[in-house]
Amino acid sequence: MSLPDIEADVFIVGAGPVGLTLAMDLQSRGLTVAIAETRRYAEPPNVKCNHVAARTMERFRKLGVAHKLRAAGLPEEYPNDVVFRTSVCGIELTRIPIPNRAERYTSHEGPDTWWPTPEPPHRINQIYLEPILLEHTAALPGVTLMNRTQVTSFVQQPGSVEAVALDLDTQQERRIRARYLVGCDGGSSMVRKAIGAKLEGTPVIQRVQSSYIRAPKLRSLIPGKPAWSCYSVNPRRCGTVFAIDGQETWLVHNHLNPDEPEFDSVDRDWSIRQILGVDEDFEYQIITKEDWVGRRLVADRFRDRNVFIAGDAAHLWVPYAGYGMNAGIADALNLSWLLAARVQGWGEEAILDAYEAERQPITMQVSHFAMDHAAKMIKARRAVPANIEADDAEGQRAREEIGREAYDLNVQQFCCAGLNFGYYYEGSPIIASDGEAPPAYTMGDFIESTVPGCRAPHFWLTDGRSLYDAFGQGYTLLRFDRGVDVAPLLAAAQARQVPLTLLDVADAKVPQAYRHKMVLCRDDQHVAWRADALPADATALVDLLRGARREALRLAA
């Protein structure tokens, strides 16, 4: 006996943070969504993904869950700093100050408090993040969530996908029919394998022996101010410890050396004690083992006709700067509005080509940032001086030097403005280039720009709203001079049924990057076109934006 068939606009395989965010975003655009997940409802996820990036929080703000996430995770007053010590209970080497929850919106101290965003980043582990996203998604009308369900196969037909799924408890099958299918099913993705996409790159960069522990007495042993993340640096063992609940649970990463090829190459208990800086009498409990391999792998393609992959299904790398999960969510948000454009009828089939054209190059860039940083961290761990814990002048000098080096190397990953705001989509088929090159960016730095493909620089409107709060679905035209006649563009968009919101900007404190009288922004906050006057053929511009114009369109800046 088979279970009832399900029909939806989009079928998502995998209900982790990437799949749930995609479902939330699609539903907000009026699409129906079905999701299959092998785990039971509310089954705890792995203890990972300790950071939600500003760009991710900006969209969660739009989706109405940012305030729920801000209220979860570490206690409100618990420091979100990153500290480097000779061990968790040892001597402090340096500290990267990051505001706690209570001060996140108001603090002006620290290297990430200047960021031009309505939603700064948030430190929260996935065990707190995912349940909030899950509860929110499951309550949305038009979303069908199927837990304990494994997708076993799918076939594509023109304009649709039909999948077969197995209920893991009853062993009954059901069929799911959708316009599109998206694999958000992790690094071992069944969907990626089914479309013949292959991961390419470096299969092993770093092995990490990771342990989620309960240690109620640890916090009282830590000298001075506690921290969200503590890097333990000593000649015996280097590792990273994350505060999970701010009280008694901790995630301990033991970074294995190149000559330690297996997770059990070193004694776990001994390593944990060296990283924490505690003796054999100290009591702790291992809750789960979370061992993982850092890689740099990117799929050779992200799409096969009506089937797409996103998140870990499409790319895997060492999650420095928190850009493991957050890169996957960026995939989902890029894809969501493109799928909505197609399902709603105003986007042509070719608009979907933008997903791979835009996201694959970015994931390649981010993967290299992560790999380069991983290589520097591995080198730094191997160069820890033997006297770093010595109670003498030489030991003090060694600690000061290591502290400076650690701060300079790591402030860019924990306060990664470049990865949040600097990346751009170059060569996209639905962006009108004007010939100006976008500014380069690093992991930590960027230059605000309205070059088509860049993120539209944020500013606050005079009514107190964030610029992004005023964005409509589809496109938003920012007009900085009411004397510019935009009627032909609005008429062309209406004729093609392209959603286009006109936002007249007056008296707001606008960043200098806005040099043009008009800047056309996409729903995902990237600039699609800018100019001081409309092109002679406004319809041609609209056709480019909706994927109906295959030849390149370049308009003078």
Side-chain angles (χ1 to χ4, degrees), residues 12 14-25 27 34-45 60 63-65 68-69 72 124-141 143-148 325 329:
I12 300 170
V18 175
L20 292 172
T21 301
L22 177 59
M24 291 162 55
D25 206 66
Q27 191 276 343
I35 317 173
E37 170 58 50
T38 57
R39 291 174 294 162
R40 299 185 186 281
Y41 183 83
E43 182 177 328
F60 284 158
L63 294 171
V65 294
K68 296 179 184 178
L69 296 175
I124 179 175
N125 191 272
Q126 189 171 331
I127 63 172
Y128 301 116
L129 167 74
E130 188 176 302
I132 295 172
L133 300 184
L134 176 63
E135 182 181 15
H136 186 89
T137 304
L140 294 173
V143 174
T144 301
L145 177 61
M146 297 170 286
N147 286 97
R148 296 291 292 157
M325 177 193 73
I329 290 177

Side-chain angles (χ1 to χ4, degrees), residues 307-383:
V307 178
F308 302 79
I309 54 176
D312 285 355
H315 43 75
L316 294 162
W317 54 70
V318 183
Y320 283 115
Y323 261 76
M325 177 193 73
N326 290 288
I329 290 177
D331 293 341
L333 298 177
N334 178 279
L335 180 59
S336 177
W337 81 279
L338 297 172
L339 291 175
R342 187 71 188 116
V343 172
Q344 291 165 356
W346 59 268
E348 293 294 317
E349 185 66 21
I351 199 172
L352 299 177
D353 295 340
Y355 174 61
E356 184 175 296
E358 293 179 355
R359 289 305 303 168
Q360 192 178 39
I362 293 302
T363 56
M364 288 294 291
Q365 290 177 27
V366 175
S367 75
H368 282 291
F369 278 137
M371 184 175 180
D372 291 346
H373 195 83
K376 293 174 183 176
M377 290 296 290
I378 291 171
K379 182 179 179 181
R381 286 193 288 269
R382 297 176 70 179

Side-chain angles (χ1 to χ4, degrees), residues 149-391:
T149 299
Q150 184 175 32
V151 177
T152 57
S153 65
F154 59 83
V155 293
Q156 298 195 59
Q157 299 174 350
S160 68
V161 182
E162 183 174 293
V164 177
L166 178 69
D167 185 301
L168 296 174
D169 291 329
T170 66
Q171 295 299 300
Q172 292 178 301
E173 287 189 341
R174 77 186 329 152
R175 296 183 182 275
I176 303 97
R177 286 182 288 272
R179 288 279 298 273
Y180 300 101
L181 184 151
V182 185
C184 303
D185 50 341
S188 58
S189 172
M190 168 268 180
V191 177
R192 182 188 67 241
K193 295 170 184 175
I195 66 174
K198 295 179 174 60
L199 292 174
E200 298 177 341
T202 306
V204 178
I205 296 174
Q206 170 79 72
R207 285 185 172 84
V208 179
Q209 188 191 69
S210 186
S211 307
Y212 178 38
I213 70 170
R214 178 173 288 108
K217 296 180 180 179
L218 180 60
R219 184 174 175 181
S220 65
L221 299 178
I222 299 173
K225 186 179 178 183
W228 161 69
S229 175
C230 178
Y231 275 66
S232 176
V233 182
N234 65 63
R236 299 174 302 283
R237 211 70 229 167
C238 290
T240 311
V241 178
F242 290 96
I244 302 302
D245 66 358
Q247 299 294 333
E248 63 178 24
T249 55
W250 315 81
L251 183 61
V252 183
H253 291 330
N254 172 28
H255 305 289
L256 300 183
N257 297 318
D259 59 350
E260 299 166 344
E262 306 296 334
F263 290 125
D264 59 357
S265 293
V266 294
D267 184 80
R268 188 181 298 263
D269 175 70
W270 176 83
S271 298
I272 289 174
R273 293 183 187 279
Q274 298 306 312
I275 291 168
L276 297 183
V278 296
D279 60 26
E280 293 183 357
D281 294 330
F282 180 81
E283 295 180 356
Y284 72 91
Q285 171 194 357
I286 294 180
I287 303 171
T288 57
K289 296 177 181 179
E290 306 279 344
D291 302 342
W292 53 277
V293 178
R295 315 178 189 275
R296 192 200 70 78
L297 299 171
V298 178
D300 57 355
R301 56 194 176 110
F302 287 12
R303 176 193 181 191
D304 175 25
R305 293 168 289 167
N306 304 312
V307 178
F308 302 79
I309 54 176
D312 285 355
H315 43 75
L316 294 162
W317 54 70
V318 183
Y320 283 115
Y323 261 76
M325 177 193 73
N326 290 288
I329 290 177
D331 293 341
L333 298 177
N334 178 279
L335 180 59
S336 177
W337 81 279
L338 297 172
L339 291 175
R342 187 71 188 116
V343 172
Q344 291 165 356
W346 59 268
E348 293 294 317
E349 185 66 21
I351 199 172
L352 299 177
D353 295 340
Y355 174 61
E356 184 175 296
E358 293 179 355
R359 289 305 303 168
Q360 192 178 39
I362 293 302
T363 56
M364 288 294 291
Q365 290 177 27
V366 175
S367 75
H368 282 291
F369 278 137
M371 184 175 180
D372 291 346
H373 195 83
K376 293 174 183 176
M377 290 296 290
I378 291 171
K379 182 179 179 181
R381 286 193 288 269
R382 297 176 70 179
V384 177
N387 67 337
I388 194 169
E389 297 168 293
D391 187 17

Side-chain angles (χ1 to χ4, degrees), residues 41-56:
Y41 183 83
E43 182 177 328
N46 293 109
V47 186
K48 58 181 182 179
C49 306
N50 291 289
H51 170 255
V52 184
R55 290 290 295 269
T56 303

Side-chain angles (χ1 to χ4, degrees), residues 78-83 95-100 225-230:
Y78 193 93
N80 282 194
D81 299 350
V82 177
V83 67
R95 180 177 290 261
I96 300 172
I98 296 172
N100 59 28
K225 186 179 178 183
W228 161 69
S229 175
C230 178

